Amino acid sequence: MEGALFYWGFWLFWVISTFFLPKQNPYRMKLAATILIAIILSNYYLILGKFEMNVSGLFVLIVSYFFLSHEKWSTIIYSIICSLIISMAYTGFQLLEIFDPVWVIFKREWMLAVGMVFLTILLQNTLKGRLLAVLSGTIQGEVLYSIILNKNNLPHQVSDLNYLDVCSLISILLVIWSLLENAGVIFQNHWSFLEKSKQKST
């Protein structure tokens, strides 16, 4: 079912950001609101000339640009470069799938998501930077892919539910990878907290 992974994944992120993130986290409410709005807008499409675009994808792209605009200039420039690289890779995957579908040996959503996650991890070091780069990059890739198809009279909805499924899967994999990367720090902080609690109790 198209969009099932998107809805399940984003609802999971919304629950975590709303009920499990510390209230002191500066991104907690912004993240929860962004996720909820993206879910609500996912059933709406906007026609821009010859192109039809899912409003949720457009919203995520605008939010990514907004958060990126608050970074340092050096970070912005590097993130734009990373985003363009991801866009080219995303579009290339989609075009190869059309011209030579034989090499897509697994489910395309997983192959596409894993490929984008691997590339993003190589390009960015932080979870925030990775999410901003990959979300903006893949949506830009969707636009480029749609332009190419449109020139060949092949209709394509930009950031449709299939894309949103891939977007959700990419986000889930990046969060899991980030948790694994920081597992040592998380365990150390938790262990220190337990030790301090024991000392206070004694």
Side-chain angles (χ1 to χ4, degrees):
M1 180 180 174
E2 292 183 1
L5 185 58
F6 163 72
Y7 291 120
W8 278 105
F10 271 54
W11 271 119
L12 177 63
F13 285 135
W14 182 81
V15 170
I16 292 173
S17 60
T18 304
F19 299 106
F20 293 96
L21 282 182
K23 293 183 178 180
Q24 297 79 14
N25 191 310
Y27 297 107
R28 176 175 170 268
M29 292 305 297
K30 295 178 182 178
L31 183 60
T34 299
I35 293 170
L36 190 58
I37 294 173
I39 293 173
I40 294 172
L41 295 177
S42 62
N43 288 320
Y44 298 95
Y45 285 84
L46 182 66
I47 297 177
L48 301 170
K50 297 180 180 180
F51 303 100
E52 187 176 6
M53 185 173 190
N54 188 292
V55 179
S56 181
L58 179 61
F59 172 72
V60 171
L61 181 62
I62 293 173
V63 170
S64 299
Y65 288 159
F66 174 77
F67 279 107
L68 184 59
S69 67
H70 289 76
E71 300 292 335
K72 297 179 181 178
W73 273 108
S74 57
T75 303
I76 293 175
I77 294 172
Y78 180 71
S79 295
I80 291 174
I81 295 172
C82 293
S83 179
L84 291 175
I85 292 172
I86 293 171
S87 298
M88 295 298 106
Y90 181 88
T91 305
F93 181 100
Q94 300 272 64
L95 293 176
L96 281 174
E97 185 183 8
I98 293 177
F99 295 123
D100 189 14
V102 177
W103 68 276
V104 184
I105 55 177
F106 303 111
K107 195 170 182 180
R108 66 172 299 278
E109 288 82 3
W110 279 93
M111 288 190 65
L112 186 54
V114 171
M116 294 301 102
V117 166
F118 181 74
L119 179 60
T120 305
I121 290 172
L122 292 178
L123 294 172
Q124 290 282 352
N125 296 321
T126 66
L127 178 59
K128 179 184 176 183
R130 289 167 180 169
L131 287 173
L132 291 178
V134 76
L135 291 177
S136 60
T138 52
I139 297 176
Q140 290 166 180
E142 275 281 296
V143 174
L144 178 59
Y145 178 62
S146 183
I147 292 173
I148 294 173
L149 291 186
N150 187 263
K151 288 184 178 180
N152 293 278
N153 297 318
L154 297 172
H156 174 72
Q157 290 180 331
V158 179
S159 63
D160 59 7
L161 290 177
N162 284 322
Y163 164 77
L164 293 177
D165 280 341
V166 174
C167 175
S168 177
L169 186 55
I170 289 173
S171 302
I172 291 171
L173 292 176
L174 283 176
V175 169
I176 292 174
W177 182 268
S178 180
L179 290 174
L180 291 175
E181 276 185 328
N182 296 285
V185 176
I186 295 172
F187 179 77
Q188 185 178 6
N189 291 337
H190 181 68
W191 184 261
S192 300
F193 176 77
L194 290 177
E195 288 294 322
K196 290 179 180 178
S197 298
K198 288 180 180 179
Q199 291 175 1
K200 288 181 180 179
S201 61
T202 56

